[in-house]
Amino acid sequence: MIKVKLFGLLRLDSGIKEIELEAGAVKDIYTELEKASDILSAKKLDACVVLVNGKSANKNTRLSDGDEVSFLSPVAGG
Amino acid sequence: MGKDIGAKIHGTYIFYGKIKSLFIEQILLYRYNGKKAVDYMKSKYSGYMGKLVEIDLGAETVREYPWSDKERELYLGGKIMAARILCDHLTGNEKAFSEENWLVIATGPLTGTGAPSSARFNISAISPQTGILASSNCGGSFGFHLKKAGYDALIIKGRCKGRKWLEINDDEFIFHDAEALWGTKTGECHEKLAELCGKKNFGRLCIGPAGENLVKYASVISDERAAGRTGMGAVLGWKGLKAITVSGSRSVEVYDREKTAAYIKKWVAYLKEHPLTGSQLPRLGTAGLVSSMQSHSILATRNYSAGQFEDFDSVSGETLAESYNVNNSGCLGCTIRCRRNVKVDGKVVKGPELETLVLFGSNLGNSDMQSVLDLNYLADELGLDTISCANTIAWAMEASAKGIWNCGLEFGKPDGLASLLDDIAHRRGIGDELAEGSKRLSEKYGGTDFAIHSKGLELAAYEPRRAVGQGLGYAIANRGGCHINGGYAVIAEGLGLNADPQTPKAKADLTMMMQNLMEAISASGQCIFTSYAFFPKALLANPNGILTKCVNSLLPHLGWGIRIMNRFPRMLAVNLPIIHHTAILKYAVGMKMDLGRYLEIGERGYNMERLINTRFGISAENDKLPKRLTDVPQDPDDPSTRVPLEVMKRTYYKARGWDENGIPTEKTLRRLKIK
């Protein structure tokens, strides 16, 4: 299983904090997230910073069982 | 020096009404030989009220301080105006707790004009924490009311005979006995001031017990907003001035009402449309950065020993929004409305900013969000700067773990911290020692390598070993370890843009440009959060897009280009559509302004502050960071994860036109018309 975590406005808008699913690559998660919420469109997910196990990743990054994938809305300001 | 222009009537000082201006003119002729008094009369520029006053607390007298339109053009207002005033006064021998330490409360020309996020005021003086020039900026409504009373700035000199609070109503200055207010927390003091003044619509600021007891990092609180940094509350405490209230019947005039209103409308629409100022900050506040900082390994954790906290989501902006936030609000006239409101003991109060959330959270190994909310509220009530307070506690926790100072504090154990804050503010037990800050504690007990400060001011929440430009900023910032005064390069190193955070390339030049820009924004009276909209939506909304990736890749190679713009700002004689700050000065103030002039004003301010600091002995050897950040890689397997400070400093000094010892050269000071 892959643990997927959402952060930033993506999380507030979708109301989804964390889900677990099966996926072989990051792009597979897109499909599942789009099913989970209308808010989670491919366009919005494309605009996110994606991390796999805390390291920078992209749509084509391969996943293994137990990986943790984070989607972060672009942010700034402090 | 001029004569007093007030008369004492039962402890009240009232200006001489209609004959006042003639009298002032006569006095000012004495003040500055060779200058015409007419230079100091009402400004030709709108926005300004045209009057600065000196208040002598000991003599309880008030008089006008001369300030010309030429000076308005050179220094705008706010912190740069204060720096000029203090540059003319300070010799380098003044101590923070002395009658010679003038405290300047200054507004900018845009304060009260209706320009976005322009309800700011600045407090400057010599800091008891650092011993050098301090500046601390605050929102709320005090600045607006100060201008309605007719003043661009208050210059507070001397020391009260006894404990006082000052009431300003237009031209009337009343010194009241403050015995009944002394000892009150800031919230209670605010309420009592409203009762004592009998007003609803007025400005007020006060200190809490921490300021009264000269805690080195005591803040000044105004409408729950804080002039938090650099210990300005302790300066007021030493002066015996508990509070100031201000109300007025005047209005702030703008130069071209129609164009100003139209431009503000356009600017507000832009801010609302922008992903940061229109969505991110209103909905998540500054706290929204926690998760991003975690992902970039720049989240200060356990006294900056790491950049990631395993339980970060417990203290994230998202968790704050989902489970604790009641609503959001803003300072007077602000469209961004970044303030979180949360519940503490059933009462709705101001929630924590990012810095507080991280420094009372991950940096103490604390994952209890409610404890952070409680400590944030209590710190404001006591009048403590949350950044320095939390950092000092973090140092004490590590010192205790290492057996250097057995104070009983432990990472991850927030229980008891509330009573500790009370002890700090009242200087009881170990609180008395913690009230001195991490620099002095580490010099006494050891552990300077992990005392996370620069020039005595504790650092903000960004762990800089994975954002080295921010590390440079902390080290060279005029007021000490401040993220904002340090240029906030981290916005290009992961928070916003994502240029290589480990390379020193272009960081010095970028830092200088950002510092100059933010210096000018602050001087004009605006909140620097308006500057986040400088980064075009197209870049920020799509971090994976080709354009953004190109900018990220190219930025480290563009140092030379930024250097040229920094050195010759007048080349930028334009008003860019994404930098609204310059055009609004034309429309609201009637001042000739473009980006180049604006940057030059910021550069002038920054150099003047540095000049003052050099009189107090500041040079290159003081522009430093604790060894933990420069010598110990965050990742033991990656030697690049530390701050390569010396190489960036050398570039920065050259870019600034300072000598290798970090001193502004005569040529630079003359070029900027400082001398």
Side-chain angles (χ1 to χ4, degrees), chain B residues 460-473:
Chain B
Y462 311 91
E463 208 279 50
R465 287 177 291 184
R466 296 269 194 176
V468 301
Q470 187 61 60
L472 169 70

Side-chain angles (χ1 to χ4, degrees), chain B residues 368-411:
Chain B
D368 179 355
M369 176 69 93
Q370 188 59 52
S371 77
V372 177
L373 306 189
D374 296 346
L375 292 169
N376 174 64
Y377 174 62
L378 185 58
D380 281 355
E381 280 285 279
L382 294 165
L384 289 165
D385 171 30
T386 55
I387 296 179
S388 283
C389 181
N391 261 309
T392 302
I393 292 171
W395 176 87
M397 286 176 169
E398 183 162 351
S400 186
K402 287 187 157 82
I404 291 171
W405 186 42
N406 296 315
C407 56
L409 297 170
E410 284 183 57
F411 286 117

Side-chain angles (χ1 to χ4, degrees), chain B residues 10 33 149 202 247 328 378-379 381 407 417 491 494 498 580 609 619:
Chain B
H10 304 299
N33 290 335
F202 72 115
S247 67
N328 69 315
L378 185 58
E381 280 285 279
C407 56
L417 289 184
I491 198 169
N498 200 16
H580 300 78
E609 291 168 353
S619 66

